[in-house]
Amino acid sequence: MASPRRPGESGPEERPEEGGEAAIAAHWREEGPLPPPEGLRRTANVRDRALWDRFARAGFPDAFREFGDLLDWIRPFRQVFDGSRPPFYRWFVGGELNASANCLDRHLATRGDRVAIRFVPESERAEDRILTYRALHARVNELAALLREEAGVLAGDRVTLHLPMTPELPITMLACARLGAVHSVVFAGFSAEACGHRIADSGSRVLVTMDGFWRRGRWVDHRAIAHRASEVAAREGRSLERLLVWTREPEAPRPGGPTGPVPELHLAEALVRFRGTTVEPVPMPSEAPLFLMYTSGTTGRPKGAQHGTAGYLAYAAATTRLVLDVHPDDVYWGLADIGWITGHTYIVYGPLTLGATTILYEGIPDYPDADRPWRIAERLGVDVLYTSPTAIRQLRKEAPDAPLRHRLRFRVLGTVGEPIEPEAWRWYFDAVGGGRAAVVDTWWQTETGGILCSTVPALDPMKPGSAGPPLPGIDLAVLDEHGAPIARGSGRAGNLVVRAPWPGLMQTIWEDPDRFVATYFARYNRDRASRDWRDWPYFTGDGALEAADGYIRILGRIDDVINVAGHRLGSKEIESACLTVPGVAEAAVVPVLDPVRGRLPEVFVAIAPGAPDPGEVASRVTAAIEREIGKIARPRAVWVIADMPKTRSGKIMRRVLAALANGTDAGDITTLSDPAVVEEIRRRVAAGRSSSGSAPGPGST
Ligand code: WTA
């Protein structure tokens, strides 16, 4: 397994492209390898390489048949893959199934009394809420009946969900799926503006929300956002017809406070009429869309990544078994938010399809203290934990010894969302896993539906700082600018692509197939007319290095996407929010390395002559970002400057700004139209930082 020269140790490392996160990637040393933990060799779902052999023997696409065989079919599929219209692929063609039946009905006979969802509220004084498979099935059926009877939801309709982390979120998702309706979950931390755009873009007539939820011991009034979101959607030509409101306390009285023009239905109250009602799961064709997940891209507005029913679900189930090694009798904890893709695939659809117990935790990892996750894990006997490097760094920083004080029994520990540095990795492995659990650093994206790159717990040696090899059936490659593969172990970085289709790949961008092709395939496709999928490599937008042993190290985004604490934000979206502030002439957002949260956005705004006081501009910029997107996009600093560094053709040099904000070498600036601008900005940033430690200074927020 040892590589002659490990990437990152020596040799020139090329920057994949100007700008982007990958250009500021932290170049730590890749470590290891460590052998897979002994215990897993006897217990893991996948203990030998037969699966790889089958992929080699049956090859593409037939080997994926066994992923489809993990599902319950109403009508069996007749063809594994149809690639006749690349890059629009169909999986498990001719089949019919229902996703909610796969998560619920199929388990009733054998595991009906087993816990499906265990809800752990933020407050430690509140008791867990337990939903067995039978109970979850009942709740989903009742809500499906209500959605159909009271809100007229039918197969193919889109329904927007703006819900926090409580059981009502998966209940609503599965009720939509039961009817064949397409759910579009908007992360609860997104603002009314962001939610409104997503309602309008998806063409939802119905919005499902909740009166409020708990965050750090404070009640967050969530329902008010729904009314503002409906105004935003109406402005964009989509009027909501129904607003369905859950109450955080199921027994709570009708939610109070102001209402809007959209008729509200109080769900807990209305559901009484549907007690015990069942709804036949609607048979859906394999390729029927299951959900939309809006995600930030390089340009303008977030795009609705559309995932299909069979391909997505099969891939979710297969990778939950293979990589997270979830067994039906496991207690599994995905410490993420269902409002992002990780929660969709690895809190809801993957674990429930396998019949496991999935924990839903309302709170954030370090509330009320950084010992909380370990208290929960010990109390519930969690077998598998899946979380983000940001959470790991935070827990380590706040209470490095906390896990040692508990009887933890993790078998597999997963991480996702950002690169994890070897130091944090080691703590996860040693302190949290006691050296007995496998750590899997899983790389994937909203668009890919599930994990593409990771070690497999019982089989692959682990290398801290490196995600690992591609999963069976996943044809990853690192290409140079011209599309030529970069030799393994050369130490040169390039663009990560996937050369062959796989079932989890999104189907398209909702109602924008051209943008789908342009964003993900135009880069390396040479012949738009080609009907051969081999001509359509999927462009991931990530920079990567491939070691001699085929292990992949992810460097980060090479496009205008910033991963903030593992949450994906578009720089363009943040920039357009800045431009709504009077006096702001130009805006540029750059990622800045942060020891805990991975990367945070910092904003440079150039003000027009005669603009208000810089301090005021800065706070207005922050407010605008929170209004347009949400608090998650809050910049670490806003730098108000007179001029942007630009090329002679007038392009803002984000690479230079990123270097200045990160305190690194700005590189070649001779192509700038006015190199003196750089010195001025450097002074401005230095003065700001020194006046308040590393925190933002005057003229910043
Ligand atoms: C980044 C989250 C390094 C990457 C599932 C990707 C990672 C983006 C890893 C997708 C990892 C995800 N190591 N970087 N293990 N996993 N990323 O769409 O830049 O929210 O493109 O999906 O997160 O973010 P998204």
Side-chain angles (χ1 to χ4, degrees), residues 180-334:
V182 181
H183 58 73
S184 170
V185 177
V186 177
F187 172 58
F190 275 129
S191 68
E193 290 284 328
C195 181
H197 296 322
R198 287 157 172 81
I199 293 169
D201 189 87
S202 63
S204 299
R205 292 181 298 110
V206 176
L207 171 64
V208 186
T209 189
M210 184 169 268
D211 58 346
F213 57 94
W214 295 101
R215 185 92 331 168
R216 287 196 183 276
R218 275 199 225 108
W219 177 251
V220 179
D221 176 8
H222 189 59
R223 169 164 156 276
I225 297 176
H227 286 290
R228 287 203 305 277
S230 81
E231 286 162 23
V232 173
R235 218 164 56 215
E236 294 183 11
R238 166 53 68 175
S239 297
L240 280 178
E241 290 166 20
R242 273 298 200 174
L243 182 60
L244 310 186
V245 190
W246 286 108
T247 31
R248 167 65 183 78
E249 311 304 331
E251 312 306 324
R254 182 171 275 282
T259 57
V262 186
E264 266 188 36
L265 190 66
H266 177 203
L267 281 173
E269 200 175 273
L271 277 167
V272 174
R273 292 196 294 282
F274 294 90
R275 272 267 163 214
T277 313
T278 54
V279 172
E280 271 305 295
V282 177
M284 298 302 290
S286 288
E287 61 273 18
L290 177 62
F291 67 86
L292 307 180
M293 165 63 53
Y294 281 83
T295 187
S296 297
T298 38
T299 49
R301 289 253 185 106
K303 43 190 192 274
Q306 176 186 320
H307 279 285
T309 305
Y312 168 81
L313 200 61
Y315 200 71
T319 49
T320 307
R321 270 188 92 247
L322 175 67
V323 183
L324 300 176
D325 192 42
V326 172
H327 292 56
D329 290 328
D330 275 349
V331 176
Y332 164 81
W333 187 9

Side-chain angles (χ1 to χ4, degrees), residues 307-385:
H307 279 285
T309 305
Y312 168 81
L313 200 61
Y315 200 71
T319 49
T320 307
R321 270 188 92 247
L322 175 67
V323 183
L324 300 176
D325 192 42
V326 172
H327 292 56
D329 290 328
D330 275 349
V331 176
Y332 164 81
W333 187 9
L335 180 49
D337 196 293
I338 297 176
W340 307 97
I341 192 71
T342 301
H344 275 51
T345 307
Y346 298 115
I347 298 179
V348 181
Y349 285 113
L352 293 181
T353 303
L354 299 181
T357 295
T358 184
I359 295 179
L360 216 140
Y361 174 52
E362 179 178 34
I364 44 175
D366 62 345
Y367 182 84
D369 54 67
D371 188 62
R372 180 83 195 270
W374 319 127
R375 288 200 290 278
I376 295 173
E378 177 174 10
R379 176 168 65 86
L380 303 181
V382 174
D383 299 286
V384 178
L385 177 72

Side-chain angles (χ1 to χ4, degrees), residues 341 417-419 441-446 542 554 557 563 568:
I341 192 71
E418 323 147 60
D441 175 358
T442 67
W443 171 81
W444 59 295
Q445 311 176 300
T446 302
D542 277 318
I554 309 294
R557 306 288 311 190
N563 244 319
R568 204 164 134 180

Side-chain angles (χ1 to χ4, degrees), residues 320-495:
T320 307
R321 270 188 92 247
L322 175 67
V323 183
L324 300 176
D325 192 42
V326 172
H327 292 56
D329 290 328
D330 275 349
V331 176
Y332 164 81
W333 187 9
L335 180 49
D337 196 293
I338 297 176
W340 307 97
I341 192 71
T342 301
H344 275 51
T345 307
Y346 298 115
I347 298 179
V348 181
Y349 285 113
L352 293 181
T353 303
L354 299 181
T357 295
T358 184
I359 295 179
L360 216 140
Y361 174 52
E362 179 178 34
I364 44 175
D366 62 345
Y367 182 84
D369 54 67
D371 188 62
R372 180 83 195 270
W374 319 127
R375 288 200 290 278
I376 295 173
E378 177 174 10
R379 176 168 65 86
L380 303 181
V382 174
D383 299 286
V384 178
L385 177 72
Y386 193 36
T387 191
S388 67
T390 289
I392 296 165
R393 288 184 212 112
Q394 208 152 24
L395 295 171
R396 171 171 181 248
K397 183 174 161 218
E398 290 173 32
D401 297 331
L404 307 175
R405 291 195 292 268
H406 296 274
R407 277 193 310 276
L408 302 173
R409 46 175 272 195
F410 297 118
R411 203 173 66 236
V412 177
L413 296 168
T415 135
V416 59
E418 323 147 60
I420 178 162
E421 60 277 36
E423 260 198 314
W425 193 104
R426 290 213 163 266
W427 180 77
Y428 202 31
F429 180 75
D430 292 327
V432 181
R436 292 177 305 272
V439 170
V440 287
D441 175 358
T442 67
W443 171 81
W444 59 295
Q445 311 176 300
T446 302
E447 293 88 338
T448 71
I451 299 163
L452 296 191
C453 188
S454 168
T455 51
V456 169
L459 297 173
D460 295 317
M462 303 170 275
K463 290 206 293 185
S466 176
L471 296 186
I474 302 301
D475 184 9
L476 283 187
V478 181
L479 304 185
D480 71 13
E481 287 307 284
H482 312 289
I486 294 176
R488 283 179 168 193
S490 69
R492 282 174 58 215
N495 297 328

